[in-house]
Amino acid sequence: MRTRLAVAGIALAGVALLGAGGTYAAFTDTESAAPVLVQGGTLDLTLGTQAGADLAPVTFANMVPGAAPTAGTYVPSQNFSYVRLTNDGTLPGRARWSSRGVSELENRCLPPERTAGDTSCGNGNRGGELGDQLRLSFSLMPGADCTGQPGVVPPESFPPTDNRGFRDIKPGGAGPALVLAPGASRCVRVDVYFPSTPANNLAQGDSSTFQLSFRLDQTT
């Protein structure tokens, strides 16, 4: 009789130990949410003409010295082109421009050039002086279709054939920079001036090519 009680006691102790060890499981319920999509925003600048077509190379022929804009007035140059800037991205961007020199072409020395002291006649197709005298003016047009009277922007005091870093496009040449919202377009008028100075005889018959670049920088 004592032996049976001892055995039963051992069995009961074993049941208690199993319960304390946590071998049974509580109820649980798991649900999954909808998939999470993460997509980066975009800045996509496209360049076009006044009519909206793709921008093609621009040529100004037979340039002659002429007037440049002064404070309080806007005197358009004889040589200008419109550039339509469009933000095809999903983020707003600050519009900027830069110029990069490509080449200066002498195209032979004319008698007035020699009289003015041109010494680059023997440098093949290099050594022209036109690019050193050119000046640029960037005017933001008030109308999205490139119409209206732009703000006064004096021409930049550097030749476009110099390498220059990106700078803001500003209405009237001052104030906050132009910011293009997603899907927005604005027109910039690029005037190329050949200032009226006696030194311009050095550039008779010369030619110059340079590259304009435009960029959008994220603003938010």
Side-chain angles (χ1 to χ4, degrees):
M1 184 67 175
R2 291 179 180 176
T3 303
R4 291 179 180 175
L5 288 175
V7 173
I10 294 174
L12 289 173
V15 171
L17 290 173
L18 289 174
T23 56
Y24 68 91
F27 293 135
T28 62
D29 181 30
T30 302
E31 299 290 343
S32 296
V36 177
L37 172 64
V38 179
Q39 182 174 352
T42 61
L43 283 174
D44 184 8
L45 177 64
T46 59
L47 304 179
T49 63
Q50 182 178 9
D54 291 340
L55 194 63
V58 178
T59 299
F60 298 130
N62 295 321
M63 289 193 68
V64 297
T70 57
T73 62
Y74 181 78
V75 181
S77 68
Q78 297 175 338
N79 307 278
F80 62 87
S81 179
Y82 292 104
V83 179
R84 181 187 296 274
L85 309 176
T86 301
N87 183 0
D88 284 331
T90 62
L91 300 173
R94 185 172 83 250
R96 315 193 76 194
W97 70 274
S98 73
S99 67
R100 179 170 57 87
V102 178
S103 64
E104 286 271 33
L105 307 179
E106 175 58 51
N107 298 334
R108 73 188 177 87
C109 279
L110 300 175
E113 291 181 276
R114 294 193 182 95
T115 301
D118 194 336
T119 60
S120 61
C121 303
N123 291 341
N125 285 335
R126 298 291 176 178
E129 294 83 8
L130 177 62
D132 289 335
Q133 300 186 48
L134 295 177
R135 297 294 180 264
L136 294 181
S137 177
F138 283 78
S139 303
L140 186 64
M141 305 302 293
D145 57 350
C146 303
T147 59
Q149 183 76 359
V152 177
V153 182
E156 294 286 340
S157 59
F158 66 88
T161 48
D162 281 355
N163 294 327
R164 296 298 170 117
F166 281 94
R167 64 198 66 200
D168 292 335
I169 297 176
K170 299 180 178 180
L178 168 65
V179 174
L180 288 178
S185 294
R186 290 297 298 270
C187 281
V188 175
R189 175 171 166 165
V190 182
D191 286 89
V192 182
Y193 296 92
F194 190 7
S196 298
T197 63
N200 279 322
N201 269 343
L202 293 172
Q204 282 200 36
D206 295 349
S207 61
S208 176
T209 63
F210 58 92
Q211 181 76 49
L212 292 179
S213 298
F214 297 87
R215 171 176 108 186
L216 289 181
D217 287 347
Q218 180 186 341
T219 58
T220 58

